[in-house]
Amino acid sequence: MMQLRRQEALAVEQKRNKLITIGVLSGLVVVIAASFLWFQTQKQALNNVYVNSGQSHLTLETNSGRKILTIVDSQQNPEVFYRVILQDSPAGKKLSLGCNWINSNGEISHQNSYQTKQINKAVWPTYCKYKFHPASPVGNWQVEMYLGDRLLSQTEFTVK
């Protein structure tokens, strides 16, 4: 009789342990799946960011972006802004952006790396800048803006 009760108690305990194990494993699967979906959603939100051609241009600080530059006179030591309008920007996020200023020799003369403020609208204007000097190589230059390692926009211009 005593042995029968022990066997019944053992069976009840094994059943309870099995249910606990199934519950923990199920919870773990749900957490892993939710994490995967969250990361995919975040990645997709960043992949949706784009720049329309024609919405990226060079300007001088003094003209507040109204006059577009195609030729930069390095003898005047200008600070040049590469202004870009991001489309489908993820609200509530801060984006890590960077710019490469590539000189006429194909070398990176300057790199910008920054994080935006928290985005609160889908169309987000941003910029990076570079101060030219008389020793800057003359010729055809290029500036590129990146979101992480993804090229968003590039513009060519001439330095004289």
Side-chain angles (χ1 to χ4, degrees):
M1 190 65 155
M2 185 75 134
Q3 193 136 9
L4 185 59
R5 285 188 188 152
R6 272 194 220 154
Q7 286 177 344
E8 289 173 354
L10 183 59
V12 167
E13 186 177 348
Q14 287 175 338
K15 186 175 181 180
R16 185 179 68 231
N17 288 344
K18 186 176 181 181
L19 288 173
I20 290 171
T21 301
I22 289 172
V24 168
L25 290 177
S26 297
L28 193 57
V29 166
V30 167
V31 167
I32 289 171
S35 297
F36 176 77
L37 289 174
W38 184 82
F39 282 114
Q40 288 298 341
T41 303
Q42 300 305 310
K43 184 178 177 183
Q44 187 62 43
L46 293 180
N47 286 340
N48 287 342
V49 176
Y50 69 97
V51 176
N52 283 327
S53 59
Q55 290 189 315
S56 306
H57 52 271
L58 293 176
T59 66
L60 294 173
E61 179 180 25
T62 55
N63 67 30
S64 301
R66 286 187 278 280
K67 183 178 179 214
I68 296 173
L69 292 176
T70 55
I71 298 174
V72 174
D73 185 354
S74 63
Q75 301 306 308
Q76 296 180 0
N77 293 324
E79 185 167 42
V80 175
F81 291 78
Y82 184 45
R83 298 181 189 277
V84 175
I85 299 175
L86 304 177
Q87 305 290 327
D88 282 350
S89 301
K93 298 283 178 213
K94 294 179 180 182
L95 299 180
S96 296
L97 300 174
C99 287
N100 292 334
W101 296 82
I102 302 168
N103 67 30
S104 56
N105 300 322
E107 302 163 338
I108 296 176
S109 285
H110 183 68
Q111 288 184 305
N112 305 101
S113 183
Y114 65 101
Q115 191 172 55
T116 65
K117 294 179 182 177
Q118 187 167 339
I119 292 174
N120 59 11
K121 54 189 172 185
V123 177
W124 188 260
T126 188
Y127 67 86
C128 53
K129 61 185 177 179
Y130 178 56
K131 185 162 180 67
F132 285 85
H133 50 83
S136 297
V138 297
N140 296 325
W141 281 55
Q142 198 177 100
V143 59
E144 304 169 327
M145 181 174 280
Y146 288 88
L147 171 58
D149 60 355
R150 185 166 62 96
L151 179 66
L152 287 177
S153 177
Q154 67 183 40
T155 297
E156 294 181 7
F157 59 99
T158 302
V159 174
K160 66 175 192 170

